[in-house]
């Protein structure tokens, strides 16, 4: 980190603000709990719009960057403040009580990005952007498709741990796993469905 950055070398407030806003949006899009809530419309039919509003609400917790020399006038929220807002919005808007540590992680990403943007560095923003690009259409979708079918047999759940270290495990990953189809039920001439025993 360049500690000798003076105001004249600093990117404009608008550039720093824009990067910070992107970092917040990426952080929320990378949050599995929120992604699951949006995909399942737990926030109602406008869940996607709610996520966008959510990002704006988080950005609004922080004072806007200013080109003025004394820009450190307003109080900045700390990690705990941000995490509290994240978790509260998840309950209020999506009816999800996030009880893992993911809220802390998301708040940490936002606070780190904020600190870097303040001094005109955008490494954290680029990191979040890269993670978001790598995730699009990949693992997140696979994980959440499984989670959506929570009512079905729990065979899926044993796969969750394997998803995390797919890279080194090549055995069965050439094709996506397809659940076995149940055979069509047999109906006799009276319209009753025959009960068949599973093969062991």
């Amino acid at each position: 980190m360049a500690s000798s950055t003076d105001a004249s070398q600093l990117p404009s407030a608008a550039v720093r603000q824009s990067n910070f806003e992107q970092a917040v949006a990426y952080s929320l899009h990378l949050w599995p709990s929120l992604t699951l809530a949006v995909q399942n419309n737990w926030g109602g039919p406008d869940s996607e719009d709610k996520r966008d509003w959510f990002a704006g609400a988080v950005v609004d917790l922080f004072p806007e960057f200013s080109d003025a020399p004394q820009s450190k006038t307003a109080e900045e929220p700390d990690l705990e403040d941000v995490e509290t807002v994240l978790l509260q919005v998840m309950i209020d808007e999506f009816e999800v009580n996030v009880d893992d540590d993911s809220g802390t992680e998301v708040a940490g990403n936002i606070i780190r990005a904020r600190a870097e943007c303040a001094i005109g560095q955008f490494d954290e923003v680029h990191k979040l952007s890269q993670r978001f690009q790598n995730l699009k259409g990949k693992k997140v979708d696979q994980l959440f498709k499984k989670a959506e079918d929570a009512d079905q047999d729990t065979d899926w759940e044993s796969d969750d741990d394997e998803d995390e270290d797919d890279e080194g495990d090549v055995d069965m990953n050439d094709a996506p796993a397809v659940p076995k189809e149940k055979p069509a039920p047999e109906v006799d001439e009276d319209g009753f469905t025959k009960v068949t025993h599973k093969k062991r």
Side-chain angles (χ1 to χ4, degrees), residues 78-97:
D78 62 15
L79 186 135
E80 202 174 305
D81 298 332
V82 175
E83 182 185 10
T84 300
V85 170
L86 293 175
L87 299 180
Q88 193 59 53
V89 171
M90 287 295 283
I91 289 171
D92 294 348
E93 299 296 331
F94 296 96
E95 298 180 15
V96 175
N97 184 9

Side-chain angles (χ1 to χ4, degrees), residues 181-189 191-197:
E181 287 185 31
K182 292 181 183 171
E186 291 179 46
V187 181
D188 65 16
E189 59 272 4
F192 290 103
T193 304
K194 290 183 183 176
V195 177
T196 54
H197 293 286

Side-chain angles (χ1 to χ4, degrees), residues 26-198:
Y26 287 136
S27 297
L28 293 187
H29 275 81
L30 288 164
W31 192 6
S33 301
L34 179 55
T35 302
L36 187 61
V38 170
Q39 286 184 349
N40 287 293
N41 287 331
W42 291 342
D46 57 347
S47 291
E48 287 236 13
D49 294 336
K50 268 191 185 171
R51 178 169 52 193
D52 295 341
W53 164 84
F54 192 179
V58 172
V59 168
D60 288 345
L61 296 173
F62 296 84
E64 274 204 33
F65 287 119
S66 164
D67 287 321
Q70 74 284 2
S71 57
K72 266 291 201 193
T73 52
E75 189 70 23
E76 297 258 335
D78 62 15
L79 186 135
E80 202 174 305
D81 298 332
V82 175
E83 182 185 10
T84 300
V85 170
L86 293 175
L87 299 180
Q88 193 59 53
V89 171
M90 287 295 283
I91 289 171
D92 294 348
E93 299 296 331
F94 296 96
E95 298 180 15
V96 175
N97 184 9
V98 181
D99 55 2
D100 57 16
D101 289 333
S102 62
T104 310
E105 187 185 331
V106 175
N109 291 340
I110 290 168
I111 292 289
R112 272 193 305 280
R114 175 70 181 185
E116 287 193 4
C117 289
I119 58 171
Q121 292 193 342
F122 308 118
D123 293 350
E124 188 67 24
V125 183
H126 297 315
K127 250 189 264 178
L128 291 167
S129 167
Q130 196 58 54
R131 276 179 56 200
F132 178 69
Q133 295 306 322
N134 291 343
L135 249 126
K136 274 168 69 175
K138 267 171 83 183
K139 280 192 187 172
V140 163
D141 287 359
Q142 292 163 8
L143 282 172
F144 290 129
K145 290 224 169 54
K146 290 176 188 177
E148 282 169 13
D149 297 329
D151 305 349
Q152 291 185 351
D153 294 344
T154 53
D155 299 356
W156 290 114
E157 285 165 11
S158 61
D159 295 341
D160 287 350
D161 296 336
E162 295 163 22
D163 282 344
E164 283 161 38
D165 37 44
D166 274 352
E167 269 69 3
D169 189 7
V170 187
D171 293 352
M172 295 297 290
N173 289 339
D174 295 341
V178 179
K180 291 179 185 159
E181 287 185 31
K182 292 181 183 171
E186 291 179 46
V187 181
D188 65 16
E189 59 272 4
D190 297 323
F192 290 103
T193 304
K194 290 183 183 176
V195 177
T196 54
H197 293 286
K198 284 183 182 173

